[in-house]
PDB file of all heavy atoms in Angstrom:
ATOM      1  N   MET A   1     -49.104 105.739 162.523  1.00 37.00           N
ATOM      2  CA  MET A   1     -48.242 104.648 162.100  1.00 37.00           C
ATOM      3  C   MET A   1     -48.452 104.411 160.607  1.00 37.00           C
ATOM      4  O   MET A   1     -49.578 104.338 160.138  1.00 37.00           O
ATOM      5  CB  MET A   1     -48.559 103.400 162.902  1.00 37.00           C
ATOM      6  CG  MET A   1     -47.747 102.208 162.515  1.00 37.00           C
ATOM      7  SD  MET A   1     -48.161 100.797 163.586  1.00 37.00           S
ATOM      8  CE  MET A   1     -46.528 100.250 163.910  1.00 37.00           C
ATOM      9  N   ASN A   2     -47.387 104.319 159.882  1.00 38.00           N
ATOM     10  CA  ASN A   2     -47.480 104.075 158.441  1.00 38.00           C
ATOM     11  C   ASN A   2     -47.761 102.623 158.156  1.00 38.00           C
ATOM     12  O   ASN A   2     -47.236 101.737 158.809  1.00 38.00           O
ATOM     13  CB  ASN A   2     -46.166 104.457 157.743  1.00 38.00           C
ATOM     14  CG  ASN A   2     -45.931 105.938 157.774  1.00 38.00           C
ATOM     15  OD1 ASN A   2     -46.869 106.710 157.910  1.00 38.00           O
ATOM     16  ND2 ASN A   2     -44.692 106.347 157.647  1.00 38.00           N
ATOM     17  N   ASN A   3     -48.577 102.373 157.158  1.00 39.00           N
ATOM     18  CA  ASN A   3     -48.862 101.005 156.730  1.00 39.00           C
ATOM     19  C   ASN A   3     -47.884 100.658 155.618  1.00 39.00           C
ATOM     20  O   ASN A   3     -48.019 101.125 154.501  1.00 39.00           O
ATOM     21  CB  ASN A   3     -50.302 100.899 156.244  1.00 39.00           C
ATOM     22  CG  ASN A   3     -50.666  99.483 155.882  1.00 39.00           C
ATOM     23  OD1 ASN A   3     -49.923  98.557 156.187  1.00 39.00           O
ATOM     24  ND2 ASN A   3     -51.795  99.309 155.237  1.00 39.00           N
ATOM     25  N   LYS A   4     -46.866  99.871 155.949  1.00 42.00           N
ATOM     26  CA  LYS A   4     -45.846  99.515 154.972  1.00 42.00           C
ATOM     27  C   LYS A   4     -46.321  98.345 154.131  1.00 42.00           C
ATOM     28  O   LYS A   4     -46.877  97.391 154.649  1.00 42.00           O
ATOM     29  CB  LYS A   4     -44.538  99.142 155.664  1.00 42.00           C
ATOM     30  CG  LYS A   4     -43.898 100.303 156.363  1.00 42.00           C
ATOM     31  CD  LYS A   4     -42.582  99.889 156.956  1.00 42.00           C
ATOM     32  CE  LYS A   4     -41.938 101.064 157.656  1.00 42.00           C
ATOM     33  NZ  LYS A   4     -40.653 100.712 158.230  1.00 42.00           N
ATOM     34  N   HIS A   5     -46.108  98.430 152.845  1.00 39.00           N
ATOM     35  CA  HIS A   5     -46.433  97.327 151.955  1.00 39.00           C
ATOM     36  C   HIS A   5     -45.184  96.500 151.746  1.00 39.00           C
ATOM     37  O   HIS A   5     -44.115  97.033 151.472  1.00 39.00           O
ATOM     38  CB  HIS A   5     -46.937  97.848 150.606  1.00 39.00           C
ATOM     39  CG  HIS A   5     -48.233  98.577 150.728  1.00 39.00           C
ATOM     40  ND1 HIS A   5     -49.431  97.916 150.844  1.00 39.00           N
ATOM     41  CD2 HIS A   5     -48.518  99.886 150.781  1.00 39.00           C
ATOM     42  CE1 HIS A   5     -50.396  98.799 150.955  1.00 39.00           C
ATOM     43  NE2 HIS A   5     -49.870 100.007 150.920  1.00 39.00           N
ATOM     44  N   LEU A   6     -45.303  95.197 151.928  1.00 40.00           N
ATOM     45  CA  LEU A   6     -44.161  94.313 151.747  1.00 40.00           C
ATOM     46  C   LEU A   6     -43.912  94.095 150.272  1.00 40.00           C
ATOM     47  O   LEU A   6     -44.828  93.819 149.510  1.00 40.00           O
ATOM     48  CB  LEU A   6     -44.431  92.964 152.430  1.00 40.00           C
ATOM     49  CG  LEU A   6     -44.670  93.025 153.926  1.00 40.00           C
ATOM     50  CD1 LEU A   6     -44.998  91.629 154.443  1.00 40.00           C
ATOM     51  CD2 LEU A   6     -43.442  93.554 154.639  1.00 40.00           C
ATOM     52  N   ARG A   7     -42.661  94.229 149.876  1.00 40.00           N
ATOM     53  CA  ARG A   7     -42.299  93.894 148.507  1.00 40.00           C
ATOM     54  C   ARG A   7     -42.157  92.390 148.446  1.00 40.00           C
ATOM     55  O   ARG A   7     -41.438  91.798 149.235  1.00 40.00           O
ATOM     56  CB  ARG A   7     -40.977  94.552 148.104  1.00 40.00           C
ATOM     57  CG  ARG A   7     -41.075  96.035 147.998  1.00 40.00           C
ATOM     58  CD  ARG A   7     -39.814  96.648 147.440  1.00 40.00           C
ATOM     59  NE  ARG A   7     -38.630  96.141 148.102  1.00 40.00           N
ATOM     60  CZ  ARG A   7     -37.515  95.795 147.452  1.00 40.00           C
ATOM     61  NH1 ARG A   7     -37.424  95.897 146.159  1.00 40.00           N
ATOM     62  NH2 ARG A   7     -36.477  95.346 148.123  1.00 40.00           N
ATOM     63  N   LEU A   8     -42.865  91.778 147.537  1.00 41.00           N
ATOM     64  CA  LEU A   8     -42.821  90.328 147.402  1.00 41.00           C
ATOM     65  C   LEU A   8     -41.932  89.973 146.224  1.00 41.00           C
ATOM     66  O   LEU A   8     -41.915  90.663 145.216  1.00 41.00           O
ATOM     67  CB  LEU A   8     -44.225  89.775 147.204  1.00 41.00           C
ATOM     68  CG  LEU A   8     -45.210  90.123 148.320  1.00 41.00           C
ATOM     69  CD1 LEU A   8     -46.576  89.543 148.004  1.00 41.00           C
ATOM     70  CD2 LEU A   8     -44.723  89.613 149.650  1.00 41.00           C
ATOM     71  N   ILE A   9     -41.188  88.893 146.366  1.00 36.00           N
ATOM     72  CA  ILE A   9     -40.296  88.473 145.294  1.00 36.00           C
ATOM     73  C   ILE A   9     -40.652  87.078 144.849  1.00 36.00           C
ATOM     74  O   ILE A   9     -41.322  86.329 145.546  1.00 36.00           O
ATOM     75  CB  ILE A   9     -38.811  88.491 145.738  1.00 36.00           C
ATOM     76  CG1 ILE A   9     -38.583  87.495 146.879  1.00 36.00           C
ATOM     77  CG2 ILE A   9     -38.363  89.871 146.093  1.00 36.00           C
ATOM     78  CD1 ILE A   9     -37.130  87.251 147.184  1.00 36.00           C
ATOM     79  N   LYS A  10     -40.207  86.748 143.682  1.00 38.00           N
ATOM     80  CA  LYS A  10     -40.339  85.390 143.189  1.00 38.00           C
ATOM     81  C   LYS A  10     -38.932  84.867 143.004  1.00 38.00           C
ATOM     82  O   LYS A  10     -38.149  85.424 142.249  1.00 38.00           O
ATOM     83  CB  LYS A  10     -41.098  85.381 141.863  1.00 38.00           C
ATOM     84  CG  LYS A  10     -41.384  83.987 141.358  1.00 38.00           C
ATOM     85  CD  LYS A  10     -42.303  84.042 140.161  1.00 38.00           C
ATOM     86  CE  LYS A  10     -42.684  82.647 139.759  1.00 38.00           C
ATOM     87  NZ  LYS A  10     -43.622  82.650 138.643  1.00 38.00           N
ATOM     88  N   CYS A  11     -38.590  83.827 143.735  1.00 42.00           N
ATOM     89  CA  CYS A  11     -37.263  83.243 143.635  1.00 42.00           C
ATOM     90  C   CYS A  11     -37.121  82.564 142.290  1.00 42.00           C
ATOM     91  O   CYS A  11     -38.051  81.925 141.816  1.00 42.00           O
ATOM     92  CB  CYS A  11     -37.037  82.235 144.756  1.00 42.00           C
ATOM     93  SG  CYS A  11     -37.202  82.975 146.374  1.00 42.00           S
ATOM     94  N   SER A  12     -35.977  82.692 141.677  1.00 42.00           N
ATOM     95  CA  SER A  12     -35.779  82.112 140.361  1.00 42.00           C
ATOM     96  C   SER A  12     -36.017  80.612 140.405  1.00 42.00           C
ATOM     97  O   SER A  12     -35.511  79.918 141.276  1.00 42.00           O
ATOM     98  CB  SER A  12     -34.369  82.407 139.853  1.00 42.00           C
ATOM     99  OG  SER A  12     -33.424  81.851 140.731  1.00 42.00           O
ATOM    100  N   GLY A  13     -36.855  80.129 139.494  1.00 45.00           N
ATOM    101  CA  GLY A  13     -37.141  78.709 139.424  1.00 45.00           C
ATOM    102  C   GLY A  13     -38.038  78.229 140.539  1.00 45.00           C
ATOM    103  O   GLY A  13     -38.174  77.040 140.758  1.00 45.00           O
ATOM    104  N   ASP A  14     -38.687  79.117 141.252  1.00 52.00           N
ATOM    105  CA  ASP A  14     -39.499  78.723 142.386  1.00 52.00           C
ATOM    106  C   ASP A  14     -40.828  79.462 142.336  1.00 52.00           C
ATOM    107  O   ASP A  14     -40.975  80.428 141.621  1.00 52.00           O
ATOM    108  CB  ASP A  14     -38.768  79.063 143.696  1.00 52.00           C
ATOM    109  CG  ASP A  14     -39.091  78.076 144.800  1.00 52.00           C
ATOM    110  OD1 ASP A  14     -40.208  77.539 144.799  1.00 52.00           O
ATOM    111  OD2 ASP A  14     -38.221  77.870 145.648  1.00 52.00           O
ATOM    112  N   LYS A  15     -41.804  79.004 143.108  1.00 58.00           N
ATOM    113  CA  LYS A  15     -43.114  79.638 143.119  1.00 58.00           C
ATOM    114  C   LYS A  15     -43.390  80.353 144.435  1.00 58.00           C
ATOM    115  O   LYS A  15     -44.519  80.687 144.724  1.00 58.00           O
ATOM    116  CB  LYS A  15     -44.191  78.593 142.861  1.00 58.00           C
ATOM    117  CG  LYS A  15     -44.112  77.997 141.476  1.00 58.00           C
ATOM    118  CD  LYS A  15     -45.229  77.030 141.236  1.00 58.00           C
ATOM    119  CE  LYS A  15     -45.104  76.448 139.842  1.00 58.00           C
ATOM    120  NZ  LYS A  15     -46.184  75.551 139.524  1.00 58.00           N
ATOM    121  N   LEU A  16     -42.376  80.594 145.245  1.00 59.00           N
ATOM    122  CA  LEU A  16     -42.560  81.273 146.517  1.00 59.00           C
ATOM    123  C   LEU A  16     -42.696  82.768 146.264  1.00 59.00           C
ATOM    124  O   LEU A  16     -41.767  83.410 145.826  1.00 59.00           O
ATOM    125  CB  LEU A  16     -41.399  80.982 147.463  1.00 59.00           C
ATOM    126  CG  LEU A  16     -41.198  79.512 147.820  1.00 59.00           C
ATOM    127  CD1 LEU A  16     -39.950  79.359 148.670  1.00 59.00           C
ATOM    128  CD2 LEU A  16     -42.406  78.973 148.563  1.00 59.00           C
ATOM    129  N   LYS A  17     -43.865  83.323 146.563  1.00 63.00           N
ATOM    130  CA  LYS A  17     -44.123  84.736 146.313  1.00 63.00           C
ATOM    131  C   LYS A  17     -44.287  85.532 147.589  1.00 63.00           C
ATOM    132  O   LYS A  17     -44.287  86.742 147.560  1.00 63.00           O
ATOM    133  CB  LYS A  17     -45.396  84.881 145.475  1.00 63.00           C
ATOM    134  CG  LYS A  17     -45.292  84.238 144.117  1.00 63.00           C
ATOM    135  CD  LYS A  17     -46.601  84.350 143.384  1.00 63.00           C
ATOM    136  CE  LYS A  17     -46.531  83.578 142.091  1.00 63.00           C
ATOM    137  NZ  LYS A  17     -47.800  83.562 141.392  1.00 63.00           N
ATOM    138  N   LYS A  18     -44.453  84.864 148.720  1.00 63.00           N
ATOM    139  CA  LYS A  18     -44.714  85.569 149.967  1.00 63.00           C
ATOM    140  C   LYS A  18     -43.450  85.917 150.734  1.00 63.00           C
ATOM    141  O   LYS A  18     -43.521  86.560 151.764  1.00 63.00           O
ATOM    142  CB  LYS A  18     -45.620  84.720 150.867  1.00 63.00           C
ATOM    143  CG  LYS A  18     -47.001  84.507 150.301  1.00 63.00           C
ATOM    144  CD  LYS A  18     -47.847  83.675 151.231  1.00 63.00           C
ATOM    145  CE  LYS A  18     -49.224  83.425 150.653  1.00 63.00           C
ATOM    146  NZ  LYS A  18     -50.027  82.576 151.539  1.00 63.00           N
ATOM    147  N   ILE A  19     -42.291  85.504 150.243  1.00 61.00           N
ATOM    148  CA  ILE A  19     -41.039  85.749 150.957  1.00 61.00           C
ATOM    149  C   ILE A  19     -40.546  87.153 150.672  1.00 61.00           C
ATOM    150  O   ILE A  19     -40.432  87.563 149.523  1.00 61.00           O
ATOM    151  CB  ILE A  19     -39.962  84.719 150.568  1.00 61.00           C
ATOM    152  CG1 ILE A  19     -40.412  83.329 150.981  1.00 61.00           C
ATOM    153  CG2 ILE A  19     -38.627  85.075 151.202  1.00 61.00           C
ATOM    154  CD1 ILE A  19     -39.444  82.246 150.618  1.00 61.00           C
ATOM    155  N   GLU A  20     -40.254  87.890 151.750  1.00 56.00           N
ATOM    156  CA  GLU A  20     -39.691  89.222 151.602  1.00 56.00           C
ATOM    157  C   GLU A  20     -38.279  89.114 151.043  1.00 56.00           C
ATOM    158  O   GLU A  20     -37.574  88.145 151.307  1.00 56.00           O
ATOM    159  CB  GLU A  20     -39.638  89.928 152.957  1.00 56.00           C
ATOM    160  CG  GLU A  20     -40.992  90.220 153.533  1.00 56.00           C
ATOM    161  CD  GLU A  20     -40.886  90.852 154.900  1.00 56.00           C
ATOM    162  OE1 GLU A  20     -39.786  91.317 155.258  1.00 56.00           O
ATOM    163  OE2 GLU A  20     -41.898  90.873 155.593  1.00 56.00           O
ATOM    164  N   PRO A  21     -37.836  90.116 150.289  1.00 51.00           N
ATOM    165  CA  PRO A  21     -36.512  90.052 149.687  1.00 51.00           C
ATOM    166  C   PRO A  21     -35.386  89.996 150.705  1.00 51.00           C
ATOM    167  O   PRO A  21     -35.350  90.776 151.634  1.00 51.00           O
ATOM    168  CB  PRO A  21     -36.415  91.345 148.884  1.00 51.00           C
ATOM    169  CG  PRO A  21     -37.719  92.001 148.952  1.00 51.00           C
ATOM    170  CD  PRO A  21     -38.556  91.326 149.983  1.00 51.00           C
ATOM    171  N   ASN A  22     -34.513  89.076 150.528  1.00 50.00           N
ATOM    172  CA  ASN A  22     -33.250  88.968 151.258  1.00 50.00           C
ATOM    173  C   ASN A  22     -32.427  87.954 150.481  1.00 50.00           C
ATOM    174  O   ASN A  22     -32.208  86.844 150.923  1.00 50.00           O
ATOM    175  CB  ASN A  22     -33.460  88.530 152.704  1.00 50.00           C
ATOM    176  CG  ASN A  22     -32.175  88.608 153.498  1.00 50.00           C
ATOM    177  OD1 ASN A  22     -31.164  89.067 153.007  1.00 50.00           O
ATOM    178  ND2 ASN A  22     -32.215  88.143 154.724  1.00 50.00           N
ATOM    179  N   THR A  23     -32.017  88.335 149.312  1.00 45.00           N
ATOM    180  CA  THR A  23     -31.425  87.404 148.367  1.00 45.00           C
ATOM    181  C   THR A  23     -30.133  86.771 148.844  1.00 45.00           C
ATOM    182  O   THR A  23     -29.837  85.643 148.478  1.00 45.00           O
ATOM    183  CB  THR A  23     -31.193  88.094 147.002  1.00 45.00           C
ATOM    184  OG1 THR A  23     -30.404  89.262 147.218  1.00 45.00           O
ATOM    185  CG2 THR A  23     -32.513  88.468 146.366  1.00 45.00           C
ATOM    186  N   VAL A  24     -29.350  87.439 149.677  1.00 44.00           N
ATOM    187  CA  VAL A  24     -28.093  86.865 150.153  1.00 44.00           C
ATOM    188  C   VAL A  24     -28.367  85.629 150.999  1.00 44.00           C
ATOM    189  O   VAL A  24     -27.814  84.561 150.769  1.00 44.00           O
ATOM    190  CB  VAL A  24     -27.280  87.904 150.950  1.00 44.00           C
ATOM    191  CG1 VAL A  24     -26.057  87.260 151.577  1.00 44.00           C
ATOM    192  CG2 VAL A  24     -26.865  89.053 150.041  1.00 44.00           C
ATOM    193  N   ASP A  25     -29.236  85.749 152.006  1.00 50.00           N
ATOM    194  CA  ASP A  25     -29.543  84.607 152.855  1.00 50.00           C
ATOM    195  C   ASP A  25     -30.320  83.538 152.103  1.00 50.00           C
ATOM    196  O   ASP A  25     -30.181  82.361 152.368  1.00 50.00           O
ATOM    197  CB  ASP A  25     -30.304  85.041 154.110  1.00 50.00           C
ATOM    198  CG  ASP A  25     -29.389  85.730 155.111  1.00 50.00           C
ATOM    199  OD1 ASP A  25     -28.171  85.495 155.040  1.00 50.00           O
ATOM    200  OD2 ASP A  25     -29.895  86.493 155.937  1.00 50.00           O
ATOM    201  N   TRP A  26     -31.189  83.932 151.156  1.00 49.00           N
ATOM    202  CA  TRP A  26     -31.927  82.945 150.366  1.00 49.00           C
ATOM    203  C   TRP A  26     -30.954  82.125 149.513  1.00 49.00           C
ATOM    204  O   TRP A  26     -31.065  80.919 149.417  1.00 49.00           O
ATOM    205  CB  TRP A  26     -32.971  83.620 149.481  1.00 49.00           C
ATOM    206  CG  TRP A  26     -33.710  82.630 148.655  1.00 49.00           C
ATOM    207  CD1 TRP A  26     -33.601  82.418 147.319  1.00 49.00           C
ATOM    208  CD2 TRP A  26     -34.674  81.675 149.122  1.00 49.00           C
ATOM    209  NE1 TRP A  26     -34.435  81.401 146.933  1.00 49.00           N
ATOM    210  CE2 TRP A  26     -35.097  80.930 148.007  1.00 49.00           C
ATOM    211  CE3 TRP A  26     -35.204  81.376 150.374  1.00 49.00           C
ATOM    212  CZ2 TRP A  26     -36.033  79.902 148.108  1.00 49.00           C
ATOM    213  CZ3 TRP A  26     -36.139  80.359 150.463  1.00 49.00           C
ATOM    214  CH2 TRP A  26     -36.546  79.646 149.349  1.00 49.00           C
ATOM    215  N   ALA A  27     -29.961  82.771 148.919  1.00 51.00           N
ATOM    216  CA  ALA A  27     -28.968  82.056 148.109  1.00 51.00           C
ATOM    217  C   ALA A  27     -28.176  81.089 148.977  1.00 51.00           C
ATOM    218  O   ALA A  27     -27.910  79.965 148.580  1.00 51.00           O
ATOM    219  CB  ALA A  27     -28.031  83.047 147.426  1.00 51.00           C
ATOM    220  N   ARG A  28     -27.832  81.513 150.180  1.00 51.00           N
ATOM    221  CA  ARG A  28     -27.105  80.640 151.097  1.00 51.00           C
ATOM    222  C   ARG A  28     -27.970  79.433 151.459  1.00 51.00           C
ATOM    223  O   ARG A  28     -27.500  78.315 151.528  1.00 51.00           O
ATOM    224  CB  ARG A  28     -26.705  81.423 152.353  1.00 51.00           C
ATOM    225  CG  ARG A  28     -25.843  80.653 153.286  1.00 51.00           C
ATOM    226  CD  ARG A  28     -25.330  81.440 154.490  1.00 51.00           C
ATOM    227  NE  ARG A  28     -25.968  82.687 154.797  1.00 51.00           N
ATOM    228  CZ  ARG A  28     -25.455  83.890 154.524  1.00 51.00           C
ATOM    229  NH1 ARG A  28     -24.290  83.989 153.927  1.00 51.00           N
ATOM    230  NH2 ARG A  28     -26.100  84.984 154.855  1.00 51.00           N
ATOM    231  N   GLN A  29     -29.265  79.631 151.679  1.00 51.00           N
ATOM    232  CA  GLN A  29     -30.169  78.529 152.016  1.00 51.00           C
ATOM    233  C   GLN A  29     -30.304  77.557 150.840  1.00 51.00           C
ATOM    234  O   GLN A  29     -30.383  76.356 151.032  1.00 51.00           O
ATOM    235  CB  GLN A  29     -31.554  79.070 152.407  1.00 51.00           C
ATOM    236  CG  GLN A  29     -32.566  77.981 152.694  1.00 51.00           C
ATOM    237  CD  GLN A  29     -32.129  77.060 153.821  1.00 51.00           C
ATOM    238  OE1 GLN A  29     -31.524  77.495 154.783  1.00 51.00           O
ATOM    239  NE2 GLN A  29     -32.421  75.795 153.701  1.00 51.00           N
ATOM    240  N   ASN A  30     -30.339  78.079 149.617  1.00 54.00           N
ATOM    241  CA  ASN A  30     -30.473  77.204 148.454  1.00 54.00           C
ATOM    242  C   ASN A  30     -29.282  76.268 148.302  1.00 54.00           C
ATOM    243  O   ASN A  30     -29.379  75.234 147.666  1.00 54.00           O
ATOM    244  CB  ASN A  30     -30.671  78.029 147.176  1.00 54.00           C
ATOM    245  CG  ASN A  30     -32.097  78.509 147.046  1.00 54.00           C
ATOM    246  OD1 ASN A  30     -33.021  77.938 147.634  1.00 54.00           O
ATOM    247  ND2 ASN A  30     -32.286  79.559 146.281  1.00 54.00           N
TER     248      ASN A  30
END
Side-chain angles (χ1 to χ4, degrees):
M1 179 178 225
N2 292 337
N3 184 11
K4 293 183 180 181
H5 295 281
L6 300 177
R7 292 187 312 137
L8 302 179
I9 63 169
K10 185 172 186 177
C11 301
S12 61
D14 212 329
K15 294 183 181 183
L16 299 175
K17 298 177 186 175
K18 295 180 182 178
I19 297 179
E20 294 177 15
N22 188 5
T23 55
V24 173
D25 285 338
W26 179 252
R28 186 175 15 257
Q29 177 59 37
N30 281 338

